[in-house]
Amino acid sequence: MPAGPGPLVVVLLLSLLLLVAGIHGRLQHEEEEEEEEVQDQEGGSSSFTLPVWAPHVPESGEERREHFRALMAKDMRRMMRQVPELMSKTDMFELPMRSALNIAQVGMYVVVVRIGTPALPYSLALETANEVTWINCRLRRRKGKHPGRPHVPPAATTMSIQVDDDGGGGGGSGGKSKVTKVIMNWYRPAKSSSWRRFRCSQRACMDLPYNTCESPDQNTSCTYYQVMKDSTITSGIYGQEKATVAVSDGTMKKLPGLVIGCSTFEHGGAVNSHDGILSLGNSPSSFGIAAARRFGGRLSFCLLATTSGRNASSYLTFGANPAVQAPGTMETPLLYRDVAYGAHVTGILVGGQPLDIPPEVWDEGPLGNDNPEAGIVLDTGTSITYLVSAVYDPVTAALDSHLAHLPKAEIKGFEYCYNWTFAGDGVDPAHNVTIPSFSIEMAGDARLAADAKSIVVPEVVPGVVCLGFNRISQGPSIIGNVLMQEHIWEIDHMSTVLRFRKDKCINHQQLNRHHKKASSSSSSSSSSSSPPPYPAA
């Protein structure tokens, strides 16, 4: 008879049975607890937590700057992608642009935009540091058609002011005032089927800048009152409109959802020299952001020489612009300075020599806007470059050292002026004058190198030049359009990059192609009353 299991085997079997029973009981207990917790959770009397850690922020200044720039880039890409592209098969559209200096004696650039339904052309001043697009407006319905410019000579079709006096140029002291004839293009909402007025009761109104609604409960028009840095005032009502644009496939398309200020009052500045303002500033209400969202988050503009002829034109482009990607293109991280755009400056050179400027003047902080008075911004609506004293003093001292032997002149609005007739390249051996090189160094090894006519302003009055810089009491400093001229500029929101390079802005194939299409279409269909996409030069 075989022997039975020994005592050790019996003990091991009993231990194994007890262990299995314990595990089963524990699992059953946990399942019951889990069911209880789920029921309690559904009843709202329980909760659970998970740990959350803050993102790591680098300690060094340069790494912190890059860290926060990456965060801003991510946020901008999110914002741009929240609105679907208007035309999936279209890459870009363009608007014609001209310098107003030789047409209306004002240092700004004017863009022709077709607004409303039916679409009518308006000449709007280009402003990269403004968030409100507004047009001279008539609210009451009147008999007759939109005045337009049917009887204005072709050379004046992009301007709202015509100079009748043939006398000298540019203003100054002691001269006769010019007599001007103002030709206004009034926008009339009652005659546009696509105009939609904002009301104070709408949330959209409360989000718009400068609105003067006293209460969100009012069912009255959404009004605004804006005072700009140059003390120009505009006020009126907000509405939503459409623009008609010529896209790169040659067709005309509607650009909807544009916030337009119907301006019933304007005062100061050069309000009589254009039909309104085209805003490109960093704000959801600006034309620039609304259009860029639908065209790849990119916009570019090529600034002609401010003294270019009245028939010369360049362009404002939304979408991918092949002209930007060419040899010599500079790239630097794009900084958002409130509604304006800026770049991080690392230094200024005159005659190839770096100037002694305190580095804190350029320190905007990690977010690019922590120190709102530091750094520099771009503003196409400003002519002269304005610098804070810590920058202005060394810049003007260095430039004046090359011109100090010339007789001084006193011109209101300028500190450094000289009796000298400007030579085209800034070199005049007869008077021992050579305008030195001037460059602004930026992050990413980008360099804005200005030509002589951007460093000095020629013929402020006949026979007088002035340095193209002024002092500003409070920062940030401002690069005006005189220093930006003869460059193509691109603001790339998707990559948060600012690109620029030298360009005369006079040879542009896309614009020329539209001119030819407009000419052929107007000659083949004389019965059409619609003006061409771009005014004839």
Side-chain angles (χ1 to χ4, degrees):
M1 186 174 181
L8 181 59
V9 175
V10 174
V11 171
L12 288 175
L13 288 173
L14 289 174
S15 299
L16 181 60
L17 289 173
L18 291 173
L19 178 61
V20 172
I23 292 174
H24 176 72
R26 183 176 177 182
L27 289 174
Q28 187 176 7
H29 177 69
E30 287 180 354
E31 286 178 0
E32 291 173 356
E33 282 187 343
E34 185 177 353
E35 289 177 359
E36 258 185 60
E37 289 172 358
V38 171
Q39 292 171 0
D40 289 341
Q41 178 66 18
E42 291 175 352
S45 61
S46 183
S47 64
F48 75 95
T49 59
L50 294 174
V52 177
W53 287 273
H56 172 68
V57 179
E59 294 184 1
S60 71
E62 190 59 35
E63 289 180 349
R64 286 171 64 88
R65 190 186 307 280
E66 181 60 28
H67 170 78
F68 285 111
R69 192 184 77 80
L71 292 182
M72 292 175 65
K74 175 182 67 67
D75 291 345
M76 182 56 68
R77 285 192 293 269
R78 282 174 59 87
M79 186 180 76
M80 288 292 168
R81 287 169 180 161
Q82 286 173 2
V83 180
E85 288 192 352
L86 177 64
M87 308 147 207
S88 59
K89 297 182 180 179
T90 302
D91 292 327
M92 59 185 286
F93 77 89
E94 297 177 336
L95 300 171
M97 179 171 63
R98 295 183 179 181
S99 169
L101 189 61
N102 280 341
I103 304 174
Q105 283 67 55
V106 289
M108 60 178 57
Y109 290 84
V110 173
V111 181
V112 178
V113 190
R114 298 163 64 88
I115 301 289
T117 306
L120 298 170
Y122 299 91
S123 297
L124 307 181
L126 184 73
E127 292 205 359
T128 54
N130 200 331
E131 57 189 319
V132 178
T133 295
W134 59 265
I135 311 177
N136 299 313
C137 195
R138 284 281 188 266
L139 286 176
R140 292 184 179 181
R141 182 184 290 273
R142 297 184 180 183
K143 293 182 179 180
K145 296 181 178 180
H146 180 287
R149 295 193 178 97
H151 306 298
V152 182
T157 55
T158 60
M159 290 306 303
S160 302
I161 187 168
Q162 177 179 321
V163 180
D164 296 328
D165 183 20
D166 294 326
S173 57
K176 291 176 61 178
S177 299
K178 290 182 178 292
V179 177
T180 60
K181 177 184 177 182
V182 176
I183 303 172
M184 285 290 184
N185 262 353
W186 300 106
Y187 169 72
R188 295 179 179 174
K191 291 184 176 291
S192 173
S193 61
S194 51
W195 164 262
R196 297 291 182 270
R197 182 184 306 215
F198 283 116
R199 302 286 180 176
C200 288
S201 55
Q202 294 176 274
R203 172 61 187 272
C205 171
M206 302 309 296
D207 292 337
L208 293 174
Y210 312 109
N211 87 75
T212 54
C213 287
E214 296 181 0
S215 169
D217 297 328
Q218 297 182 48
N219 196 30
T220 55
S221 295
C222 181
T223 54
Y224 71 92
Y225 183 90
Q226 182 189 26
V227 180
M228 289 171 262
K229 288 185 177 180
D230 64 354
S231 299
T232 298
I233 298 173
T234 173
S235 66
I237 65 172
Y238 278 124
Q240 201 169 56
E241 254 294 10
K242 295 179 180 180
T244 300
V245 298
V247 296
S248 53
D249 62 3
T251 61
M252 304 296 288
K253 299 289 186 179
K254 291 286 188 180
L255 186 65
L258 303 175
V259 176
I260 301 292
C262 171
S263 178
T264 56
F265 175 79
E266 310 89 33
H267 176 73
V271 295
N272 288 330
S273 62
H274 50 70
D275 298 328
I277 296 294
L278 185 71
S279 65
L280 299 186
N282 180 40
S283 169
S285 63
S286 84
F287 182 97
I289 292 295
R293 280 180 171 179
R294 294 171 171 85
F295 288 87
R298 297 164 69 176
L299 66 94
S300 57
F301 48 89
C302 206
L303 297 186
L304 290 156
T306 55
T307 54
S308 59
R310 61 169 59 204
N311 291 337
S313 62
S314 59
Y315 54 93
L316 165 67
T317 302
F318 290 89
N321 185 355
V324 176
Q325 299 296 343
T329 297
M330 303 286 181
E331 287 193 2
T332 188
L334 176 66
L335 300 182
Y336 297 99
R337 308 297 307 277
D338 194 13
V339 300
Y341 305 107
H344 179 63
V345 175
T346 56
I348 294 180
L349 282 69
V350 173
Q353 298 300 312
L355 301 182
D356 185 14
I357 297 173
E360 58 268 20
V361 170
W362 308 124
D363 187 10
E364 308 92 350
L367 284 173
N369 206 25
D370 293 347
N371 185 358
E373 295 187 21
I376 206 161
V377 298
L378 308 174
D379 186 5
T380 56
T382 298
S383 298
I384 305 302
T385 292
Y386 286 83
L387 305 172
V388 294
S389 294
V391 182
Y392 176 82
D393 290 336
V395 165
T396 52
L399 295 173
D400 181 61
S401 67
H402 294 263
L403 302 169
H405 62 282
L406 296 172
K408 296 293 191 297
E410 291 189 7
I411 301 294
K412 185 178 180 181
F414 295 90
E415 185 175 356
Y416 291 90
C417 296
Y418 313 88
N419 288 306
W420 174 58
T421 300
F422 178 78
D425 58 358
V427 178
D428 182 5
H431 294 88
N432 192 27
V433 173
T434 299
I435 303 297
S437 63
F438 176 91
S439 63
I440 299 178
E441 309 289 311
M442 304 178 188
D445 295 326
R447 171 181 292 188
L448 174 60
D451 291 332
K453 63 177 173 292
S454 298
I455 300 169
V456 298
V457 181
E459 300 294 297
V460 177
V461 296
V464 174
V465 301
C466 298
L467 296 185
F469 302 90
N470 259 326
R471 190 190 306 271
I472 188 172
S473 60
Q474 184 177 354
S477 297
I478 301 169
I479 296 179
N481 60 45
V482 170
L483 204 62
M484 296 171 68
Q485 67 180 317
E486 293 196 333
H487 280 76
I488 183 170
W489 299 84
E490 182 181 65
I491 296 169
D492 186 345
H493 291 290
M494 295 298 288
S495 303
T496 58
V497 169
L498 174 68
R499 300 183 182 94
F500 60 92
R501 68 172 176 83
K502 285 194 173 184
D503 195 311
K504 294 292 184 181
C505 305
I506 55 177
N507 296 315
H508 181 51
Q509 297 303 316
Q510 187 69 30
L511 184 61
N512 293 339
R513 187 162 74 248
H514 284 316
H515 271 300
K516 292 177 183 177
K517 286 188 178 183
S519 300
S520 62
S521 62
S522 60
S523 60
S524 62
S525 56
S526 57
S527 61
S528 174
S529 60
S530 299
Y534 297 124

